[in-house]
C-alpha cells in the first residue's frame, strides 16, 4: 500500500482554498512554521494538531483522507468497510510503536454521531496539546488499559471501564502500558 502524503494533501487543499500558509496558520490558531513543516513532511502532526489545522479549512479528517469516498446510508458494516481516519499519519518505517488507529463506522456527518473503533499501541498519545472541541464523547475500554485526562482529572481505565464527558474540557488519551489498548467510542456532533 502506498503511504499517504499528509504534507502534499494539506498543501493542495490550502492552495485550492486560496490561502497562504500564514492565513491558514491564523485561521487554525497554530504557528506559521508548523504549516510549513507539515507541508514539507519535515514534521508529522499529532491528531489534535491536524484536527485544529483542518478546522481552519472547515474540513473533517475523513474528507481529508478520503475525499472521493461516497458512502451509502446503510445500517450494517463489516470490519473492512470501516473508514481508516488516522493510521496514515504514521510512517510504517517507524513501526507501530506509539501509533493510534481510528476507524469510523459509516457516515458520521449524516447521522450527527461518530462511532470509532480506536487502537492505541504501547506509547500512543493524542499529544501534549490537549484536544478540545464542541461535543460530548464517551467510550468503553475493550482490551488493555488507557490513561485518560479530562481537565485536571487523570485516571487509568482498564477493560470494562468507561468514560463520558463534555469535549469542551481539554482532554488527552495515552497508552502508558506495554500492550495494545482497544476502545470503542462515540462523539456527537462528529469531531473527526
Amino acid at each position: 500500500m502506498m503511504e499517504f502524503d499528509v504534507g502534499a494533501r494539506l498543501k493542495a487543499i490550502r492552495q485550492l482554498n486560496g490561502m497562504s500558509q500564514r492565513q491558514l496558520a491564523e485561521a487554525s490558531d497554530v504557528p506559521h512554521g508548523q504549516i510549513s513543516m507539515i507541508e514539507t513532511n519535515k514534521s508529522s502532526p499529532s491528531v489534535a494538531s491536524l484536527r485544529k489545522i483542518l478546522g481552519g479549512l472547515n474540513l473533517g479528517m475523513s474528507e481529508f483522507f478520503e475525499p472521493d469516498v461516497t458512502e451509502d446510508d446503510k445500517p450494517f458494516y463489516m470490519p473492512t468497510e470501516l473508514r481508516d481516519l488516522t493510521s496514515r499519519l504514521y510512517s510504517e518505517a517507524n513501526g507501530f510503536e506509539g501509533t493510534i488507529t481510528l476507524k469510523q463506522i459509516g457516515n458520521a456527518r449524516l447521522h450527527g454521531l461518530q462511532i470509532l473503533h480506536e487502537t492505541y499501541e504501547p506509547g500512543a498519545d493524542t499529544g501534549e496539546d490537549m484536544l478540545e472541541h464542541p461535543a460530548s464523547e464517551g467510550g468503553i475500554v475493550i482490551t488493555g488499559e488507557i490513561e485518560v485526562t479530562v481537565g485536571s482529572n487523570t485516571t487509568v481505565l482498564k477493560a470494562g471501564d468507561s468514560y463520558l464527558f463534555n469535549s469542551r474540557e481539554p482532554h488527552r488519551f495515552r497508552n502508558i502500558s506495554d500492550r495494545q489498548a482497544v476502545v470503542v467510542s462515540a462523539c456527537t456532533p462528529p469531531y473527526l
Side-chain angles (χ1 to χ4, degrees):
M1 182 171 99
M2 203 164 114
E3 193 171 318
F4 188 85
D5 190 336
V6 173
R9 175 82 173 130
L10 180 61
K11 182 176 182 178
I13 292 171
R14 176 183 58 76
Q15 291 175 334
L16 189 63
N17 281 276
M19 298 176 83
S20 68
Q21 288 181 346
R22 187 167 307 284
Q23 289 170 321
L24 178 55
E26 288 172 10
S28 307
D29 196 28
V30 298
H32 167 253
Q34 185 175 11
I35 303 293
S36 175
M37 295 291 284
I38 293 168
E39 287 187 357
T40 57
N41 290 312
K42 293 179 181 168
S43 172
S44 293
S46 68
V47 173
S49 295
L50 183 59
R51 179 62 189 105
K52 201 171 184 183
I53 292 165
L54 294 179
L57 293 163
N58 203 20
L59 188 70
M61 294 209 22
S62 58
E63 292 91 356
F64 180 76
F65 285 115
E66 296 178 342
D68 301 326
V69 173
T70 57
E71 292 187 54
D72 296 329
D73 180 22
K74 61 183 192 172
F76 307 108
Y77 297 86
M78 300 304 116
T80 56
E81 296 175 301
L82 300 183
R83 293 181 77 178
D84 187 354
L85 299 184
T86 60
S87 64
R88 297 180 205 180
L89 287 172
Y90 307 96
S91 168
E92 291 177 14
N94 296 336
F96 292 105
E97 183 178 347
T99 62
I100 301 170
T101 302
L102 304 177
K103 294 187 177 182
Q104 177 179 291
I105 300 170
N107 187 334
R109 291 192 191 272
L110 177 67
H111 296 282
L113 174 66
Q114 185 168 53
I115 302 173
L116 297 174
H117 181 274
E118 307 178 25
T119 305
Y120 295 81
E121 297 299 332
D125 187 341
T126 56
E128 289 183 29
D129 292 335
M130 302 275 271
L131 301 166
E132 292 180 63
H133 48 98
S136 292
E137 66 185 272
I140 186 165
V141 179
I142 304 302
T143 61
E145 55 188 57
I146 192 97
E147 179 190 82
V148 181
T149 300
V150 179
S152 61
N153 299 307
T154 300
T155 193
V156 175
L157 299 175
K158 299 180 180 188
D161 294 339
S162 53
Y163 59 89
L164 179 65
F165 59 89
N166 181 331
S167 305
R168 288 173 181 83
E169 287 281 326
H171 54 284
R172 178 182 189 181
F173 297 86
R174 296 189 322 150
N175 183 350
I176 56 174
S177 75
D178 61 356
R179 59 193 171 113
Q180 184 184 77
V182 175
V183 175
V184 173
S185 70
C187 183
T188 185
Y191 167 58
L192 301 172

